[in-house]
Amino acid sequence: MLQAIGLTSTHRRNRPPAVDDLTFEARPGEVTALFGPPGAGKTTALRLMLGLERGQGVAYFRGRPLHRVAHPLREVGVLLGDVSGHPARSVRGQLRMLCAVAGVPVSRADELIEAVGLDGLDDQRLGALSRGMDRRLGMAAALLGDPHTLVLDEPTARLSTREANWLHGLLRAHAHHGGTVLYTTSDSRAAARTADRVVAMAAGRLVGDQDAATFARTRLRPRVAVRTPHAARLAAQLKREARAAHRSVEVVSEHGNGLYVYGSDCAQVGETAFRHGILLHRLADETGPAPAPASTLTPPTASTPPTASTFPNAPTPPNTAALAYVTAPSHPSGAAVPGEGVPDRATTARGIPAPTRTAAPDRGPAAPPVPPPTAAPDRGPAATPAPDRTATPPAARATPRHPGPRAGKRRRRRGRGRSWAARRAPLRPFRYELRRLTGVPSTPITLGAAVLASVVLAVLMGRLGRTPVPAAVAAWPDLLPLPPAALGAGLVGAFSFGDEYRYPVLPAALGATPRRIGLLLAKLAVTAATAVLLAVVVAVVDLEALRVVYGGRLIPVPDNWPTLCASWLALVVGCAWAGLLAAGVFRAAAAGLAAVLAVPVVIAPAVEEALLGPAVRSVAGLPARLRELAWPRWPAEGDRWLDAALRVMAQPVGAALALSLTALLCAFLFTGVRRTARW
């Protein structure tokens, strides 16, 4: 069960809050629609419940607030808008990356690709998906952790009738197996047709909490939908004839050339248009919302059940067939839809075979082959009971409350606590980072360009006899602030955090944000490994290119090659980390690349002038003195490595890079981990 109690968004200057003291519940085994016109506060209410926005009030998911749920993605499946991911990533790569976030096996992604009808499109890029396929991918991502509760924001917006029927059938199947479904909609007819219960909002407040049949009886009216290029002329004629015949007819203009006529039928409207020579493009009977403004309606409560007198324009109850689903179409590929006599062979994330799908009677299309949520008794220990105030009758909950100062403090504390749910990292950060790095073409393109540029520069520099061999192997001419390998590693590091904010996969996935220590360590380790691999490949390829072009005898091996190799690896890894940390602090890949270039261009000259000028005293012999003070004693061979590290640090670029990394790391820890992130 999902319970929302006293949800209130932060107050805006000179405007009321977007959500004001909203209290309702969504029951397991039912589909609940949060209905309201655009701007009513539906999306803000969902974000408050999920802890993605600051505010007051609390939401309980099966008796527990979300910040007390160990694995939110296994409790709540979320679909807020379009799928958030790199447009060049494949469908399978996106789901497998999210598997690492949720901590579920990779096979779960393949199951859901087949279950939601994306088989055959698993290698399709996200940027090339249609609206319907994008929505199917979003549902697969929401179901990835086998959640009990589904929370969706306008899931059928701009979908075709076929895709909308499929999605509503999926939600019905999830509720049929004991799950809780809550979705928002601004279509009253769809809410009455597809939901078991409708919670109505207006201006951020609760105005109704009814079952679907009562909502349809009190909020919907039969009407005639007309589309004509002479809408104003037809409306005037309809009103004139209604006054002459003493009939109650209301004509509501729809933007453009559309009209909605209440209190009439197709025959009368068509005859009026024919008599006056008005061309009609559309004429159809349908059921729609009453034209009366919401402010004139008395909100129905439990103590005063809605009747025909509650809403002055309420018609007689419609027949059951008017609220029935349209039968869901078969699979786009032509295969039969499971639930229509075809058993579903999909399994849940726990390896339990899913039962055969059957659609609820008179409720819509057959259930798609999606692994269902397991029943509540199989999910672990019983949930802790919600506070006693959840038993408040709907009438009392719909009435605005005036809490005292202590209640306000409790609400503020809860609002801050709920934001903790949005500060977890992926459950498997190293696997997530590896899939994120290798799932987009920008990584191999960047690494390949760095290797190619290094080879070309190495051959050109080897042609000049004055160029030292280490500089030629590293492809670092004096004209460039950094070698291509260092720039490529810095760009890869900048993409590591820059893509998290440009294509925010983690904030969209409930319970994870980029700024966490575990994810930072994973990014540092994976980026360092990539940088070391790039540095080794560049050195080997450049050396072989020089040997092939100019001969091996002309390429001598220097005596201090271990120190040179350590310096080379430290430079490339340091540039990669500088780009990564700068992109994490400033939330942009361009900032990461700028930080890498600033090291040799800006920071190194300043460090060389301020700190590395003529010195009176020397640090020679420091490794030996440190070995005498250290406990336990390290081997004498360690002095050579420590001395090499100090020599690297004594270089202007090395000192500038170390100073930059220290400052960026402190800035990242101060701005990212210590402060609550909001998205």
Side-chain angles (χ1 to χ4, degrees):
M1 176 180 291
L2 169 59
Q3 298 168 309
I5 304 172
L7 295 180
T8 304
S9 61
T10 54
H11 288 267
R12 300 170 294 178
R13 179 176 298 180
N14 300 326
R15 289 187 296 173
V19 177
D20 187 7
D21 199 18
L22 180 64
T23 300
F24 68 94
E25 64 182 25
R27 301 168 186 170
E30 293 184 354
V31 177
T32 304
L34 186 59
F35 165 74
K42 304 184 296 297
T43 302
T44 304
L46 296 188
R47 294 180 64 85
L48 286 171
M49 285 188 288
L50 298 173
L52 301 178
E53 190 165 319
R54 289 182 178 178
Q56 300 175 3
V58 66
Y60 289 99
F61 296 84
R62 292 200 293 171
R64 294 175 296 176
L66 196 57
H67 68 273
R68 295 186 180 274
V69 178
H71 304 297
L73 285 175
R74 301 181 186 179
E75 178 65 31
V76 186
V78 179
L79 180 58
L80 303 177
D82 298 333
V83 173
S84 181
H86 198 290
R89 198 181 303 278
S90 66
V91 170
R92 177 182 281 112
Q94 176 80 2
L95 289 179
R96 288 186 174 182
M97 186 176 64
L98 291 177
C99 283
V101 177
V104 298
V106 179
S107 59
R108 178 69 171 170
D110 298 329
E111 292 175 7
L112 285 171
I113 286 176
E114 182 180 358
V116 301
L118 289 176
D119 42 336
L121 298 176
D122 46 359
D123 293 329
Q124 188 79 12
R125 303 299 179 186
L126 298 186
L129 291 178
S130 64
R131 177 71 178 177
M133 295 300 104
D134 182 87
R135 193 61 64 175
R136 288 174 183 258
L137 177 60
M139 289 305 304
L143 292 167
L144 204 60
D146 190 19
H148 175 270
T149 304
L150 288 180
V151 178
L152 309 99
D153 185 23
E154 297 281 357
T156 59
R158 293 177 291 165
L159 287 184
S160 64
T161 303
R162 178 189 180 94
E163 293 290 347
N165 289 336
W166 175 88
L167 193 143
H168 284 305
L170 175 62
L171 301 183
R172 176 61 54 191
H174 187 84
H176 180 72
H177 288 88
T180 302
V181 177
L182 173 66
Y183 74 94
T184 65
T185 181
S186 56
D187 188 348
S188 56
R189 292 178 298 163
R193 188 177 67 249
T194 61
D196 298 303
R197 193 161 196 84
V198 181
V199 178
M201 289 182 62
R205 301 184 63 84
L206 180 71
V207 296
D209 191 349
Q210 307 163 295
D211 58 83
T214 305
F215 176 81
R217 184 175 68 252
T218 57
R219 286 295 188 91
L220 301 183
R221 291 181 58 190
R223 65 188 183 185
V224 179
V226 185
R227 192 161 299 277
T228 171
H230 309 287
R233 180 182 166 195
L234 178 60
Q237 295 297 337
L238 289 173
K239 294 177 182 178
R240 184 179 296 109
E241 292 187 2
R243 286 195 299 268
H246 302 286
R247 290 187 294 108
S248 176
V249 175
E250 294 182 72
V251 182
V252 178
S253 298
E254 182 72 7
H255 48 267
N257 55 358
L259 293 176
Y260 288 133
V261 183
Y262 296 86
S264 185
D265 55 22
C266 285
Q268 294 176 351
V269 175
E271 291 173 0
T272 301
F274 177 77
R275 284 194 299 268
H276 296 86
I278 298 176
L279 176 65
L280 297 183
H281 291 167
R282 184 191 179 209
L283 183 64
D285 282 321
E286 63 179 33
T287 302
S295 59
T296 63
L297 305 180
T298 304
T301 61
S303 57
T304 59
T307 61
S309 61
T310 305
F311 302 97
N313 296 319
T316 57
N319 54 28
T320 308
L323 300 179
Y325 262 106
V326 179
T327 304
S330 61
H331 190 275
S333 62
V337 177
E340 298 178 356
V342 181
D344 183 13
R345 293 176 296 176
T347 57
T348 63
R350 300 168 181 81
I352 304 174
T356 303
R357 305 290 183 167
T358 55
D362 298 332
R363 268 293 171 185
V370 175
T374 54
D378 298 333
R379 283 185 171 267
T384 56
D388 294 339
R389 56 176 177 168
T390 59
T392 308
R397 292 200 303 267
T399 305
R401 297 178 296 171
H402 300 281
R406 293 186 179 180
K409 292 181 180 179
R410 287 196 299 269
R411 282 186 178 184
R412 286 192 292 271
R413 286 196 295 268
R414 287 173 182 142
R416 289 194 296 267
R418 287 203 329 273
S419 62
W420 298 350
R423 298 187 62 197
R424 295 184 177 91
L427 295 181
R428 297 174 181 176
F430 286 95
R431 181 177 299 180
Y432 164 81
E433 182 59 22
L434 282 174
R435 296 193 180 279
R436 187 211 60 77
L437 183 69
T438 58
V440 292
S442 59
T443 301
I445 290 176
T446 302
L447 299 180
V451 173
L452 181 60
S454 298
V455 172
V456 173
L457 287 177
V459 173
L460 293 178
M461 293 174 65
R463 186 179 178 86
L464 304 175
R466 301 184 304 273
T467 304
V469 174
V473 173
W476 192 356
D478 296 334
L479 298 177
L480 294 181
L482 287 172
L487 291 175
L491 192 58
V492 170
F495 284 151
S496 295
F497 258 124
D499 286 349
E500 300 288 5
Y501 298 103
R502 188 177 180 185
Y503 310 106
V505 177
L506 291 184
L510 181 64
T513 65
R515 295 192 169 195
R516 298 300 293 160
I517 291 296
L519 183 61
L520 174 63
L521 295 178
K523 286 184 177 294
L524 290 175
V526 173
T527 305
T530 305
V532 169
L533 178 62
L534 176 62
V536 172
V537 170
V538 165
V540 172
V541 172
D542 289 355
L543 186 60
E544 290 300 320
L546 291 173
R547 290 181 184 276
V548 169
V549 176
Y550 303 109
R553 290 177 300 177
L554 301 179
I555 311 298
V557 178
D559 296 333
N560 60 338
W561 66 268
T563 303
L564 294 176
C565 291
S567 302
W568 172 241
L569 294 178
L571 174 66
V572 177
V573 173
C575 288
W577 283 357
L580 186 149
L581 292 174
V585 172
F586 299 103
R587 305 189 179 190
L593 185 60
V596 173
L597 293 175
V599 170
V601 175
V602 178
I603 302 177
V607 170
E608 184 177 9
E609 182 179 355
L611 301 179
L612 301 181
V616 178
R617 301 182 184 276
S618 174
V619 295
L622 178 61
R625 292 192 295 270
L626 290 177
R627 184 161 57 88
E628 294 176 358
L629 298 176
W631 184 89
R633 302 289 179 87
W634 64 73
E637 291 79 6
D639 294 349
R640 185 177 60 181
W641 295 100
L642 183 58
D643 184 67
L646 291 177
R647 290 180 182 274
V648 171
M649 293 290 296
Q651 300 297 322
V653 175
L657 193 57
L659 183 62
S660 299
L661 289 176
T662 303
L664 289 173
L665 181 60
C666 293
F668 182 90
L669 296 177
F670 180 76
T671 61
V673 179
R674 300 291 297 177
R675 186 169 58 188
T676 301
R678 290 192 298 162
W679 312 104

